[in-house]
Structures are given as structure tokens and as C-alpha cells.
Amino acid sequence: MKITTRFWISLILSLPMLIAMIVMPFTNWMLPGGEMTMLVLTTVIMLISARPFLSSAWSSFQKHHSNMDTLIAVGTGTAYVYSIYAMFTGKAVFFESAAFVITFVLLGQVLEERMRDNASSAIEKLMDLQAKDAEVKRDGKFVRLPLDKVATDDLVRVRPGEKIAVDGKIVEGTSTVDESMVTGESMPVTRQVGDDVIGSTINMTGTFVFRAEKVGDQTMLAQIVTLVKKAQSSHAPIQKLTDRVSDIFVPVVLMIAILTFLIWYVFIGHDVANSLIFAVSVVVIACPCALGLATPTALMVGTGRGAKMGILIKNGEVLEKVNAVDTVVFDKTGTITVGKPKVTDIVGDEKQVLTLAAQLEASSEHPLALAITEEAQAQKIDVTAVSDFQALSGKGVQASIDGQRAFVGNSRLLEDATIDDQLQQQMVQLQKEAKTVVLVGQRQQVIGLIAIQDTPKETSEKAITALKSRGLKTVMLTGDNQQVAQAIADEVGIDDVIADVLPAEKADEIKKLQENYSVAFVGDGINDAPALTTADVGIAMGAGTDVAIDAGGIVLVKNDLRDVDTALALSQKTFGRIKLNLFWAFVYNVLGIPVAAGVFYGFGFILSPEIAGVAMALSSLSVVISSVLLGQSKLTTS
């Protein structure tokens, strides 16, 4: 039976007893049927909702171990059995204690289960990125076939705007391809005969034919899926602090309870009933009601506070691991940078150069052209039509403007045009800064330069500074080339750069870092999914792909890199509150056990099972209050 179903059964059956417990001191109202009704309700809870706990405790006992389930089973079982005994001997019962413990513990498990349920959807969304069909050459004609019909060595034609079906090598045609989803490279790349293409990337401008080389499970996307699955399955479940302590705590409590009974019955000479009351009080005061609430209540408040701040923390496992993080690794494109090319420099007569370039690029959909036209629009430059437009293969474009030849393109244009020494030096300098340089000219002379780059986000430098002031090491891990990556890293203040890394290698680089550091990885792309799941803590940018968001343990909804520091601070604060809750839960138990055992009986102070139940409730209340205060506490960030 599902945890959610068991919880609702326990909650619904416990509510009548809770209502009776609250109103009875004021109205003397009791449940219809009194103790017999309480027995029936609690028995159903014990048989259905508590059964897995009892089974787990018994299994652990057979293996000479104890765990959280042992605490639950012993506490609720003792309360239940004693209450049956008390009901038939005219003593006070506390069936509600057993029922409430089960309800509280199940509530915690339901909350944890909901926050952890994210693994399978990431895999499904990765697979959805695949092309559904392809135009394959069969019997001398191109026909559209389902993806699973594409075989190695098939010739596949790809038109503008279509997804490339599988991995292969171009045999005919030239185009630009958007590979950002796989390589992390923000700029579309030119692909021509002899170049490799990657399945699921997008063809942007031209039509080409390629020969299929890797299909099915051999494609790069399929390999990424495999890596994500492997990384997710390699995460060993974290042994909760309560389970680690309970392995010692439970046997000690049981021994104290047995010793208490023997002392009062054998050595002091009390009757069985009174001796049993002392023993039961010991077990009840040690009952893990507060322990069951310690983690889920803090998680609920901490994650709720995070959600209001635009920070989604997916599970308690993340909170524990954040405390050990000493290195934060960043993807570049879309994480540190905007993820979109932008004009950064215009050399020459700014208005003339930008106007000329915008006129020539007005009808192009190439990302570099779009960056130029957007800059022209921002500067409110009017663009007029051109004539005799012509594409220069591998170089750029040219056209006639006011009867004069004008051109825009890359440095290959210098094969047919001239550039003065000053512009030449400025072009080299811009290229050293890892910027893409567009040459703009008239007739045969270059008159200006436009530099384009995927620029850092405005918040990136502040975010890196905050993390470094916290004493954390910062690293950039990217598919971009070393020169581009280093330029961006220097601009925002990142310590180290690992560049030219393919998706399949990103997870390996994270593993290498994990040999010496505890690593948090921040990313937003499909290519980041394996690294997000391999890192000790995966932090996904909210404006990134669904796959990255699903793979990350923390999601930054506002897509603000400064929230990385806030997320780490909030996670540490929440986990610290969980430890504080567990500490106080145990303190209540440890301090209450001697009283429950009758140590102060000679002074007329005893802790009956009823009072032990009240003390247990106070323990739970203190944990809840502690968790609620987490929502009001000051969040210290660097």
C-alpha cells in the first residue's frame, strides 16, 4: 500500500481521538463508545498504517540491528499493548499516542517522497528531444522514415529548421547548425562537407546530406541519457541521522525499560502493574514522535521559504550534502553568460558601420546577423532595402547600396578587400578577447568592425564574488574553446577553467574534481544533465531546459546567479535546523527517561504514562516551533 494511502487512513482515524483529547478537559465530552472506540480506531491504524514499520523493525531485530522503524514499532506497540491492558484494569489508556506517532511519521515520509520524485521525468524529457523521423535516401529517392528505420551508412537529407536525426558526417551541402543543446556552444557553427553533425541538434540555414554513422543507442544524445541514468542510480541513499543514532539509542532505551521493570518488581517489590507503568513510561517518553517531525517540518518550512525566494530545494539529501560543498563548478553558456550573442564593440564611424551592416543583414536569420539588427533597432537606425544581394560562400554577404558595393562577413573577406593597419590591430585585439569580429566595408575597403560576444550576465561577477568570500573555490566547465572560456572567467573572477569538454566528458571532469573536493555544479542545458546528477549537489538555472531542471537537486527559478549563494545559505540553515530539532528531540527523551524510570520517586515526583505522553507532545511542539522559527530567522549570505 502506498505511503500516501497509509497516511490518510491514519490521519482520518486519529482525528476523532485528537478532538476528544482537546475538548475533554473543558466539556468532559468523550468519543461515543469511549475506550472501545479508541481501541478499534487504533487497531485499524496498527494493522494497516503501522504494519510496514512493525515488519521492518522485526526484520532488523532478526539481523541484530535497530533503526527508526524500531523506535516507531517499540513506542507505538508498547503504548498500544499497555493501553489494552489498562483498559481492562481500569487504568488510564493512551491509544491516541500510538495513533498520533504513526500519523506524524507517515506525514514526514509523504513530504520526503514528494520532494524526491524527479528522477524518471528527466530521462523521459531527454528522449523526447530526438527527431521523430528523417528523410532517408532509398532506391535513389529521399523518403521520410521513422527514426528507428535509419541505419548506419544511410544518406539523410536535412532541410533548414529541421532536427538532425542521428550522428553522422556531411557528404553534400553547407549550413549552420545550432549545437548548443549538446555542446554548450552558444554560437551556431558552420558545417560543410567532411564535418561531423550531432543527432537532435538543429539545422538553421542550408540544406545538406550526411551519412549516418551512429544510430540508436550509439548517438551522443543516447549516451547522455545513459550517463544521467547511471549518475542517478549511483547516488546511494543517505543514512539519516536519526537512523544512525537509533542504532544505539533503541537498544539502550529497551534495556533501561527492562531494567526499570526488574528493579521495581524484583528489588523494590512493587506489583506487576506499577512496575510495568514505570517501564512503559520509559518507552513512551522515548517514543520518536518528535524525531518523526524533526526532519519533515524543517524541510517543509525551509523549502517553503526557498520557494518564496525563487529557490526550489528538492530533497533532504541535498541539504545534507550542501554543508560539505567547498567547490562550485559552473557551465558557461546560459549560466554565467546570457546565452545569446550581443554586439559589444563597434570600431569606426559607429552609425555608418552599424547602418551598413544592418542593411545587409536585415533578411538573415543567422544569430550574428540578428545581434547586429537588434543593436540597430536599439539605436533606432532606419534600415533601407538593398539590391543585387549575394551570399559569399564561407565569407559573408554583399549587395549594392546607393550604387556602391558593400559587404559584411568574416576575416576571409580580406582575400578580396583591404584593411588599414589600425583596424587590423584592433581586429586582432578583439579576437584575443574571444569576440567574434564582423568586417564591414564598401567597395574593396574595410571601413569598420563589429565585435559580437555572448556576454556575462550582469549578476555573474557579484555571484562569483559572494561565493569566493564564503571561501568556496569556483570553476568553469564548458564546451567552448579555451580562449573564449578564459576571457569570460577573467571578466567575472572565476578561479579555474576547464574548456573544450564534450557532454560525455563533463560528468568525468566532475568525478575528477570529486576526488579532492565536494562539488556543486550549476548549469542550464541538456548537456549539463549528466554533470548535474553526478555532482554532490546539482543546481539548475530556472530558465534552462526542463531536463536540467529535473536533474538538479536545487532549481533557481529567477535564473539569477546570485541565488546560488542564497541557495547554499538556505540549505545550510535548513539542515542546521534539522540537526537542532533532532538534538532537542533527543534531549527531551534523555532528560525524561530518568524521571519516567522513577529515579525521583522518593521525592514524590513520578512520570506516569499519561504525563509521559504529554511530555512527548511537548517535545513535538518544541520541534514544530523550532521549524516555524526557521521561516523568520535571518538568512546570512556572503
Side-chain angles (χ1 to χ4, degrees):
M1 185 180 293
K2 291 183 178 180
I3 292 175
T4 306
T5 305
R6 289 166 50 212
F7 165 69
W8 282 112
I9 290 173
S10 184
L11 177 63
I12 292 170
L13 296 179
S14 297
L15 283 176
M17 291 184 281
L18 175 62
I19 294 170
M21 185 177 70
I22 294 173
V23 303
M24 189 173 64
F26 306 101
T27 64
N28 291 323
W29 179 84
M30 294 185 62
L31 282 174
E35 294 177 348
M36 186 57 68
T37 301
M38 296 175 70
L39 170 63
V40 172
L41 294 175
T42 307
T43 299
V44 175
I45 291 174
M46 295 298 290
L47 290 175
I48 298 176
S49 299
R51 186 172 181 176
F53 299 134
L54 301 174
S55 298
S56 174
W58 177 247
S59 177
S60 295
F61 173 75
Q62 290 177 313
K63 297 175 182 177
H64 308 292
H65 288 288
S66 59
N67 54 22
M68 185 70 174
D69 291 341
T70 306
L71 284 171
I72 298 167
V74 170
T76 58
T78 304
Y80 175 72
V81 172
Y82 172 78
S83 294
I84 294 176
Y85 162 79
M87 187 175 70
F88 290 104
T89 57
K91 299 182 183 297
V93 301
F94 46 101
F95 286 113
E96 67 276 4
S97 295
F100 294 161
V101 168
I102 297 301
T103 303
F104 284 135
V105 173
L106 285 174
L107 172 62
Q109 292 189 354
V110 167
L111 293 174
E112 290 177 4
E113 185 180 65
R114 287 183 179 179
M115 286 185 286
R116 282 199 301 262
D117 188 18
N118 66 359
S120 60
S121 59
I123 303 297
E124 293 171 1
K125 288 175 181 175
L126 274 174
M127 298 307 297
D128 286 342
L129 293 170
Q130 290 183 322
K132 301 299 184 283
D133 51 31
E135 204 175 358
V136 183
K137 192 170 188 178
R138 295 285 168 84
D139 300 325
K141 297 181 180 180
F142 282 99
V143 294
R144 193 158 291 279
L145 298 175
L147 184 63
D148 58 6
K149 299 296 183 183
V150 180
T152 304
D153 291 329
D154 273 344
L155 293 178
V156 183
R157 183 166 63 188
V158 188
R159 301 176 188 275
E162 292 183 342
K163 283 185 179 181
I164 298 170
V166 295
D167 298 359
K169 191 180 294 291
I170 295 178
V171 295
E172 179 185 329
T174 301
S175 183
T176 55
V177 180
D178 180 1
E179 297 182 348
S180 59
M181 66 173 61
V182 174
T183 64
E185 172 60 64
S186 56
M187 297 290 187
V189 292
T190 301
R191 292 290 180 241
Q192 53 194 1
V193 175
D195 290 339
D196 293 326
V197 289
I198 304 169
S200 301
T201 56
I202 301 174
N203 179 32
M204 300 191 67
T205 53
T207 298
F208 63 88
V209 177
F210 73 94
R211 187 180 302 280
E213 295 183 340
K214 295 180 180 179
V215 300
D217 294 339
Q218 298 177 333
T219 64
M220 184 172 290
L221 180 64
Q223 291 175 15
I224 291 176
V225 171
T226 301
L227 285 169
V228 173
K229 286 181 178 178
K230 187 179 295 184
Q232 288 175 337
S233 63
S234 67
H235 279 178
I238 289 185
Q239 188 179 11
K240 292 183 175 59
L241 179 60
T242 50
D243 284 336
R244 292 197 292 266
V245 176
S246 66
D247 206 30
I248 300 172
F249 182 71
V250 174
V252 170
V253 169
L254 293 177
M255 287 188 288
I256 292 174
I258 294 171
L259 185 61
T260 298
F261 176 81
L262 292 175
I263 289 174
W264 284 104
Y265 180 65
V266 177
F267 296 103
I268 298 179
H270 273 248
D271 59 23
V272 174
N274 285 329
S275 300
L276 184 60
I277 285 175
F278 285 119
V280 168
S281 296
V282 169
V283 178
V284 170
I285 197 67
C287 197
C289 186
L291 294 179
L293 284 170
T295 298
T297 54
L299 272 177
M300 186 167 57
V301 174
T303 53
R305 183 179 181 183
K308 291 179 182 178
M309 300 169 67
I311 298 168
L312 304 182
I313 302 170
K314 292 190 176 181
N315 53 56
E317 184 175 328
V318 172
L319 298 175
E320 185 166 347
K321 289 185 175 181
V322 161
N323 284 268
V325 167
D326 53 18
T327 300
V328 183
V329 182
F330 296 88
D331 169 53
K332 180 183 77 68
T333 305
T335 301
I336 292 176
T337 65
V338 177
K340 181 181 179 181
K342 180 181 178 182
V343 172
T344 58
D345 304 87
I346 300 176
V347 180
D349 185 321
E350 183 171 329
K351 184 173 183 180
Q352 180 188 13
V353 170
L354 186 57
T355 301
L356 199 63
Q359 286 178 299
L360 287 169
E361 299 284 23
S363 59
S364 174
E365 295 183 357
H366 191 284
L368 297 183
L370 292 175
I372 291 172
T373 55
E374 285 179 3
E375 181 66 21
Q377 291 172 359
Q379 296 193 24
K380 298 181 179 179
I381 292 176
D382 294 327
V383 177
T384 58
V386 299
S387 59
D388 300 325
F389 184 87
Q390 182 183 357
L392 303 174
S393 180
K395 298 179 180 180
V397 296
Q398 67 177 11
S400 179
I401 299 177
D402 297 330
Q404 295 183 347
R405 174 182 177 266
F407 58 87
V408 173
N410 57 38
S411 57
R412 291 181 183 177
L413 288 170
L414 295 178
E415 296 172 3
D416 307 308
T418 58
I419 184 172
D420 62 41
D421 292 341
Q422 185 177 358
L423 280 179
Q424 178 80 37
Q425 292 174 3
Q426 289 174 299
M427 181 180 73
V428 172
Q429 179 59 38
L430 290 169
Q431 289 173 334
K432 286 182 178 179
E433 295 172 5
K435 297 175 181 178
T436 300
V437 180
V438 175
L439 282 62
V440 182
Q442 286 181 312
R443 293 184 289 272
Q444 302 300 119
Q445 180 68 38
V446 175
I447 63 169
L449 308 172
I450 297 178
I452 299 174
Q453 188 181 46
D454 181 12
T455 57
K457 296 176 182 176
E458 293 180 1
T459 58
S460 293
E461 184 176 1
K462 292 180 180 178
I464 301 303
T465 300
L467 293 171
K468 291 174 74 171
S469 66
R470 195 182 276 275
L472 299 173
K473 176 183 176 69
T474 56
V475 180
M476 180 190 291
L477 181 62
T478 178
D480 267 356
N481 64 67
Q482 183 70 36
Q483 186 180 23
V484 171
Q486 191 63 55
I488 297 295
D490 291 342
E491 188 171 348
V492 299
I494 282 181
D495 298 320
D496 294 327
V497 173
I498 304 173
D500 296 306
V501 180
L502 292 174
E505 298 170 342
K506 278 194 171 184
D508 292 336
E509 293 293 339
I510 293 295
K511 289 177 182 177
K512 290 178 184 177
L513 288 169
Q514 286 174 317
E515 292 176 2
N516 299 304
Y517 306 101
S518 180
V519 178
F521 178 79
V522 187
D524 74 321
I526 294 164
N527 58 301
D528 298 326
L532 282 166
T533 51
T534 299
D536 297 289
V537 178
I539 303 176
M541 304 299 288
T545 64
D546 288 344
V547 175
I549 291 172
D550 285 336
I554 298 175
V555 179
L556 308 182
V557 177
K558 294 184 292 186
N559 205 42
D560 188 337
L561 207 62
R562 289 173 297 184
D563 283 343
V564 173
D565 182 56
T566 306
L568 296 179
L570 178 61
S571 298
Q572 291 171 346
K573 191 86 171 180
T574 304
F575 187 66
R577 189 53 54 99
I578 290 173
K579 292 192 291 185
L580 180 64
N581 287 350
L582 291 172
F583 169 77
W584 283 114
F586 279 116
V587 164
Y588 266 102
N589 291 30
V590 171
L591 294 180
I593 285 174
V595 181
V599 171
F600 301 102
Y601 179 76
F603 300 97
F605 185 64
I606 62 172
L607 193 63
S608 66
E610 299 96 308
I611 298 176
V614 173
M616 183 181 66
L618 290 175
S619 173
S620 301
L621 182 61
S622 70
V623 165
V624 172
I625 292 173
S626 172
S627 295
V628 170
L629 290 175
L630 171 64
Q632 309 299 323
S633 62
K634 183 179 179 180
L635 191 63
T636 303
T637 58
S638 300

